[in-house]
Amino acid sequence: MTQAVSSAPSQNSLAMAALLIGGAAIGGSPIFVRLSEVGPMATAFWRVALALIPLVVWSQLRNGAATDKPPQRLSDYALLVLPGVFLAIDLGAWHLSLTMTSVANATLLANVAPVFVTLASWVLFRSPVSGIFVAGLVTAIAGVIVLKGGPAALGGGDIAGDGIAIIAAMFYAGYILAIGRLRSRFSTNRIMLWSTASAAACMLPMAFFTEPSLLPPSAFGWAMLIGLAFVSHAGGQVAITYALAYLPPAFSSLTLLLQPVVAALLAWVLLSEPVGLMQAIGGAIVLIGILIARRG
């Protein structure tokens, strides 16, 4: 996969670092979601709604920056809103799939988004795809399967739930591709602010009509939601959005495969969940696959 041309080699290095940091930050989201005191749809709403706080502050600090070009036409506003719509559907579908199929199936199938990004980039934008990149992608996905306990652990799921998890992956792929196209015209700040606001607007009715309560009952519950919003969304998605100005969307989407690795490590450290040999091997395979894809 050919990389986007950057003005200096250091920018690609910085973008790669941002990509890895963003993937790790988003990888912590399952821990926050698991510890949340509200339902999955309400958690998804607060994930994007509370993230608007640091994003608005950041926007005010960057007000008037020369690189932050405002939208000019109605179509520009529609394009800025579109990633948030994709993200809201992705979050809603993934959370719904968790209630319908096994956690292993929902997590794995939602993590095949890089496959859809690669296919869509090739079909829609004629982006070249090298054999080395495909080999790295296949290796990384195989690592996720091993991390989740191998093919045997993926049985017993519900077909409808599995299908909804795949839909979540498709809409996350749409989110990545939409962000990647916007980065050639708008700043990270403007894209994140508009897409996050539109995601919150879409998630609010979904949460309102499906959850018995939107408000967590304790300070701990609010802390988990704030952590999810500030670290995983405002931190992780901003880093990935920045990287998409310098790295191709198909490779950037591979950071999604870091999430189960980071989640397993954090669950081990914070929740005392053991990390077995199978998980360690799977995590190593994921990292090897990403390194292979990087060379392509």
Side-chain angles (χ1 to χ4, degrees), residues 81-151:
V81 167
L82 185 61
V85 176
F86 285 153
L87 181 61
I89 298 174
D90 160 55
L91 292 174
W94 183 58
H95 286 164
L96 180 60
S97 72
L98 286 171
T99 67
M100 299 176 63
T101 188
S102 67
V103 173
N105 283 28
T107 304
L108 173 63
L109 294 173
N111 280 322
V112 300
V115 175
F116 293 114
V117 173
T118 303
L119 290 174
S121 296
W122 178 63
V123 172
L124 298 178
F125 309 124
R126 298 302 180 192
S127 300
V129 180
S130 70
I132 296 176
F133 178 84
V134 173
L137 176 61
V138 172
T139 300
I141 291 176
V144 174
I145 295 176
V146 173
L147 181 68
K148 291 298 175 183

Side-chain angles (χ1 to χ4, degrees), residues 42-97:
T43 300
F45 164 70
W46 288 115
R47 171 179 184 157
V48 287
L50 291 174
L52 286 171
I53 297 173
L55 291 175
V56 168
V57 171
W58 182 29
S59 177
Q60 292 301 313
L61 292 175
R62 287 180 51 85
N63 188 32
T67 57
D68 194 12
K69 299 178 181 178
Q72 302 293 330
R73 302 179 298 273
L74 182 61
S75 60
D76 292 337
Y77 289 101
L79 290 174
L80 285 168
V81 167
L82 185 61
V85 176
F86 285 153
L87 181 61
I89 298 174
D90 160 55
L91 292 174
W94 183 58
H95 286 164
L96 180 60
S97 72

Side-chain angles (χ1 to χ4, degrees), residues 9-38:
S10 60
Q11 286 182 320
N12 272 344
S13 299
L14 183 59
M16 186 64 192
L19 193 63
L20 294 175
I21 292 172
I26 296 175
S29 61
I31 304 300
F32 291 118
V33 172
R34 181 180 300 182
L35 297 176
S36 174
E37 295 179 347
V38 293

